[in-house]
Amino acid sequence: MVALAEIRNLSFTYPEEKKEALVMNSLVIEEGDFLVLAGSSGSGKTTLLRHFKKELWPIGTRTGALFYKNENYQELSDIRSATEIGMVFLNPENQIVVDNVMGALAFALENTGCPPNTIEKRIAELISFLGFQDLLEQSIHTLSGGQKQLVNLASVLILQPKLLVLDEPTAQLDPIAT
C-alpha cells in the first residue's frame, strides 16, 4: 500500500539561523490516519505542517525527501497539490481572499476549473452538513474569529482533499464550535 504522505530524513534551517528548526527522521501517513502534533511554542509544529503543502514551504535550507503518494513533493503539479492537499492556517485572516462567505467557498473550486453546477452542488452539500446556511450571504468582515475559521475550514473541505493539514484549527473557536 502506498503511503499518502511520507517524510524521510528531513531537516530544515531558517535563513541566518545556526540551529535546525526541524529534524524529522521518518514519518509515514497512511490514508485514514488521524495524527496530532503536540509540542511547546516554537518547537517546529507549524514548520513541519507547512512542509506538507509545497506552495507554503518555508524559505531556508532543507535536506531529506518528502513524498505524496510516492511522488516527490517538488514534482507534484500545482493543481494536484491545490486540490488534494488542503491546509487551514492558525490565523483565519491569513487565508481569506474574498469579501463574503459564498465567494470564499466558491473561490478554490472556480480556480481549479470546476463547472458552475458542481460548485453550486458542493456548496449546498457542505453548508447543509456544517449547518451555517445563515452565514452564506454575510460579509467576511462581519464574522467572529471562530466563524472565519469555520469558513476557512469549509473552503478547504469543499475541494475534498485527500490530505488535510490543520494548524491549531480550534484556536479561534469556542468549546461548542470546537
Side-chain angles (χ1 to χ4, degrees):
M1 181 171 204
V2 174
L4 187 60
E6 184 175 0
I7 291 174
R8 296 182 199 151
N9 301 315
L10 176 66
S11 71
F12 177 78
T13 307
Y14 284 102
E16 301 186 29
E17 294 290 326
K18 291 180 177 34
K19 185 178 179 200
E20 294 166 319
L22 180 65
V23 176
M24 174 75 52
N25 292 330
S26 174
L27 177 65
V28 176
I29 301 172
E30 301 286 345
E31 219 171 292
D33 282 354
F34 184 93
L35 303 175
V36 176
L37 292 177
S40 60
S41 181
S43 64
K45 299 180 301 291
T46 297
T47 299
L48 174 62
L49 294 179
R50 288 180 61 190
H51 277 84
F52 287 107
K53 188 87 171 146
K54 76 173 193 167
E55 303 89 322
L56 301 175
W57 278 4
I59 295 170
T61 304
R62 179 179 303 98
T63 62
L66 295 101
F67 300 94
Y68 175 76
K69 293 186 174 181
N70 265 358
E71 186 176 343
N72 189 307
Y73 262 89
Q74 292 173 315
E75 296 167 10
L76 194 61
S77 73
D78 291 342
I79 191 74
R80 192 157 171 229
S81 178
T83 57
E84 293 188 25
I85 303 168
M87 183 164 183
V88 177
F89 303 120
L90 166 64
N91 182 348
E93 298 292 336
N94 293 343
Q95 201 158 350
I96 296 171
V97 294
V98 295
D99 291 337
N100 64 41
V101 174
M102 176 72 100
L105 297 177
F107 182 79
L109 294 172
E110 290 170 346
N111 284 298
T112 57
C114 271
N117 61 336
T118 301
I119 293 172
E120 291 172 11
K121 181 181 176 211
R122 284 201 195 170
I123 288 173
E125 288 172 349
L126 192 61
I127 289 298
S128 176
F129 177 75
L130 294 175
F132 60 82
Q133 296 87 335
D134 56 323
L135 298 179
L136 199 55
E137 298 299 326
Q138 279 197 280
S139 167
I140 293 288
H141 308 293
T142 64
L143 302 179
S144 69
Q147 289 171 321
K148 289 177 184 176
Q149 190 71 324
L150 289 173
V151 170
N152 284 342
L153 177 60
S155 69
V156 170
L157 289 176
I158 206 158
L159 289 168
Q160 302 172 344
K162 309 288 185 242
L163 177 62
L164 181 60
V165 180
L166 307 171
D167 190 0
E168 297 192 41
T170 62
Q172 304 287 332
L173 304 178
D174 59 49
I176 292 171
T178 298

